[in-house]
């Protein structure tokens, strides 16, 4: 009882402290009125005061008090969450729209406010004479800075000029090295210009002119030139052999031009807003930032629409092996870019409706757009790195070649997922979505963070999915290459009996299917749980389905279990020719519950494992082929034996067959004598799947050798003894009828037993 009272004390104190706003509580004692039973919690609530209160209450009264506090706290949290959600919806719709209409309403203030800023500036620099002095100072300052930059450019002229080269013989590393070298020198030149202008300005300029000169030098001269240097690095308008993106020279020059003017607009926006703030006109007063942002976004949409074909070409890249999905993504990319620009503009309006101008101080919207609009460059870099970093093809043949190309595509997909995750993390950092900021942010920030975490979890899941697929597929390709088995190049309509794949190549596709399914289910549940979706009903539903399968699909369970034991026993492999209860065919595909056999005439038989009584495998390890030849009674068996031996030795020297023989073709002597002639048998041992071509060649060579030796194959004859023939008389009608009857009887016997001569 003591422990229970202590636990209630601690719980009561914690609840009172967490509620914060509730310092009084009332409990109804049995048989009393509310006024008589009102209990006032002491303030402050110390341990002694809690002990005194609990000593006056029964256990049921304490439980009732705790339940009241829990209900009150839950109600307050629900109301706060509901208020947060409704607040976010308001700012995302009505609030953002008011951020658009307010600048329109304040449009007259824009002119008066800007006039005020210029008037205050003129008064501060001393009017028209001060403006003339400012222009003179700028000429001096920027002239000295330009001279310093010119000296640096003369010293590094060899680094800035790209040497002519053959694009087909240049590696990606060499291209990036030379482009980075030029970019570095251009960036250093601009930095020298800005630093020299800043230093000289602070030295010779009056204090009231220093901020203006710095704004002009940094934002209107330095920033656009840095942006232009980056554009030259990406598009190489004058050096197509160094161009990283797949565009024409005309498009590259135009895109560099527009990149420069976009940077000018960005720099002017930053400079004018700082200028106005320094001269007594805050940014929120005239909403000049809205009009500058709108102008920039409209300009971007126009550029994207005008050069949409170039953007599609950039997204496709230089790789000729573009998949249909990559082609569709490339065609959709300009539309994605336009939607992105419009969406970023609307997000800015949402942030403005929150009056969170500090978040926009670092221009996260422009950083986000720049990162996403240069997605073609990132994709080109990924494909280039994969093309130059993928190991050489292992082995030879169609299987190895397909595995090599599949590996390259997998590396590209893995690279894209990694870059996608890094881009998401960078965007989250741009918008200040750190764990500390999210903990104190509103519903909108938490929702955005949940979406980003959802995408990151899916990215990790897909990365693991591709990594497992790459590992298993590489093992599968190695096994198939080593065994020489390729299911895609198997002869269609052949006789069957060919060698199949290895045991590992048969099991690996099933392992791949299981691993992929497990990864998809696990990471999908993790991602859904991360965004607040309760996955317990899904797991319960899966359990119910499993229970239903266990009770209602016993045959399915039997098939699966039987298939497991067949695979453990290595009874068959993919590509082997087997017989299952009278059904023959090549094992074309296996699944968890059944196998598919393709007959050499085309039909496909699907056989559940649970219905297989036994399996006869005709393709395991080796094959013995026995051939029968019927020759006349007067033939010499020894002569035929020598002929067979000679043919066997000759075939061992034929390049097409010499690797397939395990034992040469030779004679087994006279097998039997029937009513036609002597049956002589020959045999050979070879690898599975090669016996039919060898048999055909042996038939051709035996036929030619017999013809050369004067040996005829025996034929069935019908002899009819007629007394009239012995007396030299001509055939009568009765004799002819007897001959026809005997021939008919012999033919019927042949039809009734067609395999007699071949056994």
């Amino acid at each position: 009882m003591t422990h229970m009272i202590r636990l209630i004390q601690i719980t009561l104190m914690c609840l009172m402290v967490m509620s914060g706003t509730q310092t009084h509580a009332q409990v109804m004692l049995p048989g009393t009125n509310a006024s008589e039973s009102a209990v006032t919690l002491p303030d402050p609530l110390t341990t002694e005061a809690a002990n005194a209160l609990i000593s006056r209450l029964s256990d049921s009264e304490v439980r009732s008090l705790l339940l009241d506090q829990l209900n009150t706290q839950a109600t307050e949290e629900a109301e706060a969450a509901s208020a947060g959600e409704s607040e976010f919806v308001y700012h995302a719709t009505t609030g953002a729209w008011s951020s658009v209409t307010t600048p329109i309403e304040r449009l007259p203030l824009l002119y008066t406010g800007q006039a005020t800023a210029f008037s205050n500036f003129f008064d501060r620099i001393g009017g028209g004479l001060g403006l003339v002095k400012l222009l003179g100072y700028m000429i001096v300052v920027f002239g000295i800075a330009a001279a310093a930059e010119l000296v640096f450019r003369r010293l590094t002229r060899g680094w800035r000029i790209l040497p002519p080269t053959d694009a087909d013989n240049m590696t990606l590393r060499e291209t990036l090295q030379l482009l980075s070298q030029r970019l570095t020198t251009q960036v250093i030149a601009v930095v020298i210009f800005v630093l020299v202008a800043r230093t000289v300005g602070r030295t010779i300029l009056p204090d009231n002119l220093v901020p203006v000169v710095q704004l002009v030098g940094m934002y209107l001269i330095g920033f656009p030139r840095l942006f232009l240097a980056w554009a030259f690095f990406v598009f190489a308008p004058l050096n197509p052999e160094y161009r990283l993106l797949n565009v024409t020279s005309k498009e590259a020059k135009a895109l560099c031009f527009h990149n420069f003017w976009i940077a000018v607009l960005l720099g002017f926006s930053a400079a004018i807003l700082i200028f106005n703030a320094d001269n007594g006109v805050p940014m929120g007063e005239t909403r000049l930032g809205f009009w500058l942002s709108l102008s920039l976004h409209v300009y971007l949409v126009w550029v994207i629409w005008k050069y949409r074909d170039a953007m599609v070409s950039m997204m496709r890249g230089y790789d000729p092996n573009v998949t249909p999905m990559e082609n569709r993504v490339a065609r959709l990319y300009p539309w994605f870019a336009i939607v992105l620009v419009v969406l970023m503009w609307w997000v800015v309006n949402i942030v403005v409706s929150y009056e969170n101008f500090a978040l926009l101080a670092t221009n996260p919207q422009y950083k986000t757009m720049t990162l996403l609009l240069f997605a073609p460059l990132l994709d080109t870099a990924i494909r280039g790195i994969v093309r130059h970093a993928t190991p050489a093809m292992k082995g030879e043949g169609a299987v190895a070649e397909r595995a090599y190309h599949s590996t390259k595509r997998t590396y590209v997909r893995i690279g894209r997922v990694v870059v996608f995750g890094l881009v998401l993390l960078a965007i989250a950092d741009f918008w200040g979505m750190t764990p500390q900021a999210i903990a104190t942010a509103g519903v909108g920030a938490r929702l955005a963070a949940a979406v980003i975490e959802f995408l990151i979890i899916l990215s990790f899941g897909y990365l693991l999915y591709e990594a497992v697929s790459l590992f298993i597929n590489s093992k599968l390709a190695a096994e198939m290459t080593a065994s020489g088995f390729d299911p895609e190049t198997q002869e269609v309509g052949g006789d069957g009996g060919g060698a199949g794949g290895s045991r590992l190549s048969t099991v690996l596709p099933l392992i791949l299917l299981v691993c992929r399914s497990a990864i998809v289910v696990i990471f999908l549940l993790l991602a859904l749980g991360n965004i607040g979706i309760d996955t317990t009903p899904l797991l319960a539903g899966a359990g119910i389905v499993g229970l239903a399968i266990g009770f209602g699909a016993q045959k399915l369970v039997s098939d699966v279990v039987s298939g497991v034991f067949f695979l453990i026993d290595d009874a068959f492999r993919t590509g082997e020719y087997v017989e299952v209860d009278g059904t023959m065919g090549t094992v074309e595909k296996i699944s968890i519950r059944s196998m598919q056999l393709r007959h050499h005439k085309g039909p496909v038989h699907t056989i559940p494992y649970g219905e297989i009584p036994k399996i006869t495998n005709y393709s395991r390890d080796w094959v013995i082929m026995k051939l029968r030849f019927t020759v006349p009674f007067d033939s010499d068996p020894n002569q035929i034996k020598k002929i067979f031996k000679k043919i066997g030795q000759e075939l061992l020297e034929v390049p097409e067959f010499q690797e397939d023989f395990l034992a040469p073709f030779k004679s087994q002597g006279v097998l039997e004598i029937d009513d036609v002639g002597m049956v002589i048998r020959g045999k050979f041992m070879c690898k599975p799947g090669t016996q039919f071509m060898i048999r055909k060649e042996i038939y051709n060579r035996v036929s030619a050798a017999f013809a050369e030796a004067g040996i005829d194959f025996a034929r069935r004859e019908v002899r009819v003894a007629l007394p009239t023939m012995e007396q030299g008389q001509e055939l009568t009608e009765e004799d002819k009828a007897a001959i026809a009857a005997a021939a008919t009887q012999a033919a019927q016997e042949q039809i009734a037993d067609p395999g007699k001569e071949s056994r």
Side-chain angles (χ1 to χ4, degrees), residues 336-557:
F336 162 77
I338 292 175
V339 172
L340 171 68
V341 172
V342 175
L343 180 63
M344 285 295 103
W345 179 73
W346 192 254
V347 168
V348 170
N349 291 322
I350 294 175
V351 175
V352 171
S353 71
Y354 275 101
E355 297 185 357
N356 189 4
F357 298 103
L359 180 60
L360 300 177
T362 57
N363 296 314
Q365 71 276 21
Y366 299 135
K367 295 178 182 178
T368 301
M369 284 193 298
T370 301
L371 192 60
L372 295 179
L373 288 177
F374 277 99
L377 178 62
L378 299 176
D379 193 67
T380 300
I382 292 170
R383 284 187 278 185
I385 292 173
V386 169
R387 186 169 61 252
H388 291 83
T390 303
M393 184 173 66
K394 297 180 179 179
E396 297 180 354
V399 175
E401 187 175 354
R402 287 200 305 271
Y404 176 72
H405 292 298
S406 176
T407 300
K408 288 177 63 176
R409 288 194 296 268
T410 302
Y411 281 143
V412 169
R413 290 194 293 267
I414 290 176
R416 286 170 177 167
V417 172
V418 172
V419 171
F420 178 74
L422 295 176
V423 167
L424 285 178
L425 293 176
I427 292 174
D429 182 67
F430 294 159
W431 292 93
M433 292 182 183
T434 60
Q436 296 79 9
I438 294 172
T440 59
V443 176
R446 291 200 300 270
L447 179 61
V451 171
I452 290 178
E453 291 178 1
F454 175 80
L455 294 176
I456 289 177
I457 291 175
L458 290 184
S459 299
F460 276 111
Y462 183 74
L463 186 63
L464 182 60
Y465 179 92
E466 289 290 352
V468 170
S469 300
L470 176 64
F471 176 76
I472 295 179
N473 283 328
S474 63
K475 292 292 183 182
L476 180 60
E479 286 290 322
M480 294 172 64
T481 302
S483 63
F485 172 72
D486 183 6
E488 296 189 12
T489 60
Q490 294 299 299
E491 181 182 358
V492 178
D495 293 315
S502 65
R503 185 178 187 181
L504 190 59
S505 66
T506 302
V507 178
L508 281 178
L510 295 179
I511 297 176
L512 179 61
L513 176 63
V514 173
C515 291
R516 283 177 169 177
S517 302
I519 291 172
V520 170
V521 172
I522 292 173
F523 278 89
L524 184 60
L525 292 176
L526 288 176
L528 292 176
N530 188 75
I531 60 176
I533 297 177
D534 188 8
T535 58
T536 303
L538 297 177
L539 296 175
I544 294 174
V545 172
L547 189 62
I549 291 176
F551 284 103
Q554 299 178 2
K555 184 65 173 62
L556 175 63
V557 176

Side-chain angles (χ1 to χ4, degrees), residues 677-716:
M678 291 188 301
V679 178
I680 298 179
R681 188 166 65 181
K683 73 171 185 177
F684 64 91
M685 181 187 294
C686 64
K687 297 178 181 178
T690 63
Q691 67 268 32
F692 303 110
M693 291 297 295
I694 295 176
R695 180 183 65 180
K696 181 173 67 175
E697 184 66 20
I698 289 176
Y699 279 147
N700 292 334
R701 290 176 180 257
V702 168
S703 177
F706 278 10
E708 183 179 353
I711 301 175
D712 294 328
F713 289 100
R715 299 175 179 83
R716 179 176 291 276

Side-chain angles (χ1 to χ4, degrees), residues 62-115:
V62 171
R63 285 195 297 270
S64 177
L65 179 61
L66 292 178
L67 288 174
D68 290 340
Q69 294 298 322
L70 289 172
N71 291 333
T72 302
Q73 183 178 357
T75 302
E76 292 177 352
E77 292 179 353
E79 292 176 352
S82 177
E85 292 177 0
S86 60
E87 180 185 4
F88 171 71
V89 173
Y90 166 78
H91 285 289
T93 55
T94 306
W97 179 248
S98 65
S99 300
V100 177
T101 57
T102 300
I104 299 176
E105 296 172 354
R106 295 188 181 183
L107 193 58
L109 296 178
L110 177 62
Y111 300 102
T112 57
Q114 199 60 49

Side-chain angles (χ1 to χ4, degrees), residues 274-322:
I274 296 174
F275 174 84
N276 288 349
D278 291 342
N279 290 278
V281 181
M283 180 177 63
E285 180 177 334
T286 61
R287 294 296 177 93
L288 176 61
F290 168 82
W291 297 105
L292 294 172
S293 175
L294 179 62
S295 301
L296 178 63
H297 286 79
V298 170
Y299 186 21
L300 281 172
V301 170
W302 177 79
V303 171
I304 294 171
W305 177 254
K306 183 176 181 180
Y307 296 98
R308 58 188 181 277
D309 293 337
M311 299 190 72
V312 172
S313 180
M314 284 190 293
M315 201 65 188
R316 286 198 182 103
Y318 291 103
D319 192 354
N321 299 320
V322 179

Side-chain angles (χ1 to χ4, degrees), residues 470-744:
L470 176 64
F471 176 76
I472 295 179
N473 283 328
S474 63
K475 292 292 183 182
L476 180 60
E479 286 290 322
M480 294 172 64
T481 302
S483 63
F485 172 72
D486 183 6
E488 296 189 12
T489 60
Q490 294 299 299
E491 181 182 358
V492 178
D495 293 315
S502 65
R503 185 178 187 181
L504 190 59
S505 66
T506 302
V507 178
L508 281 178
L510 295 179
I511 297 176
L512 179 61
L513 176 63
V514 173
C515 291
R516 283 177 169 177
S517 302
I519 291 172
V520 170
V521 172
I522 292 173
F523 278 89
L524 184 60
L525 292 176
L526 288 176
L528 292 176
N530 188 75
I531 60 176
I533 297 177
D534 188 8
T535 58
T536 303
L538 297 177
L539 296 175
I544 294 174
V545 172
L547 189 62
I549 291 176
F551 284 103
Q554 299 178 2
K555 184 65 173 62
L556 175 63
V557 176
S558 173
D559 292 337
V560 173
V561 174
S562 299
V564 171
F565 283 105
F566 274 123
L567 293 175
I568 292 176
D569 293 338
D570 195 20
F572 56 85
R573 300 173 185 174
T574 305
E576 290 185 331
Y577 195 82
V578 299
E579 179 181 358
V580 179
D581 197 20
T583 301
M584 304 180 69
T586 302
V587 180
E588 187 172 74
K589 182 180 179 182
I590 64 172
S591 65
I592 296 177
R593 63 166 295 272
S594 65
M595 63 187 300
Q596 288 185 354
L597 300 183
R598 181 172 295 273
H599 194 267
H600 56 268
K601 293 183 178 180
V604 176
H605 306 280
T606 301
I607 305 175
Y609 296 128
E611 298 181 2
I612 301 177
K614 67 175 182 178
I615 294 179
T616 303
N617 195 324
Y618 292 97
S619 300
R620 187 59 57 87
D621 300 332
W622 46 266
V623 173
I624 292 179
M625 179 70 74
K626 296 183 178 181
L627 309 179
R628 301 164 61 92
F629 303 91
T630 303
V631 296
F633 295 106
D634 57 351
S635 300
D636 184 3
N638 292 328
Q639 182 185 13
I640 295 175
K641 181 178 180 181
K642 294 178 181 179
I643 292 174
F644 284 6
K645 183 177 180 181
K646 179 181 179 183
I647 292 174
Q649 296 299 323
E650 290 176 350
L651 287 176
L652 290 178
E653 299 176 359
V654 176
E656 184 180 356
F657 303 116
Q658 61 184 0
E659 298 295 333
D660 300 327
F661 276 104
L662 300 179
F665 175 64
K666 61 183 178 180
S667 173
Q668 288 188 293
V670 178
L671 177 64
E672 62 181 357
I673 297 177
D674 58 17
D675 56 351
V676 177
M678 291 188 301
V679 178
I680 298 179
R681 188 166 65 181
K683 73 171 185 177
F684 64 91
M685 181 187 294
C686 64
K687 297 178 181 178
T690 63
Q691 67 268 32
F692 303 110
M693 291 297 295
I694 295 176
R695 180 183 65 180
K696 181 173 67 175
E697 184 66 20
I698 289 176
Y699 279 147
N700 292 334
R701 290 176 180 257
V702 168
S703 177
F706 278 10
E708 183 179 353
I711 301 175
D712 294 328
F713 289 100
R715 299 175 179 83
R716 179 176 291 276
E717 297 179 354
V718 179
R719 296 187 180 184
V720 182
L722 299 175
T724 56
M725 292 295 294
E726 296 176 358
Q727 300 173 3
Q729 300 178 1
E730 294 183 358
L731 294 177
T732 64
E733 292 299 329
E734 291 78 6
D735 294 337
K736 294 179 181 179
I739 294 173
T744 301

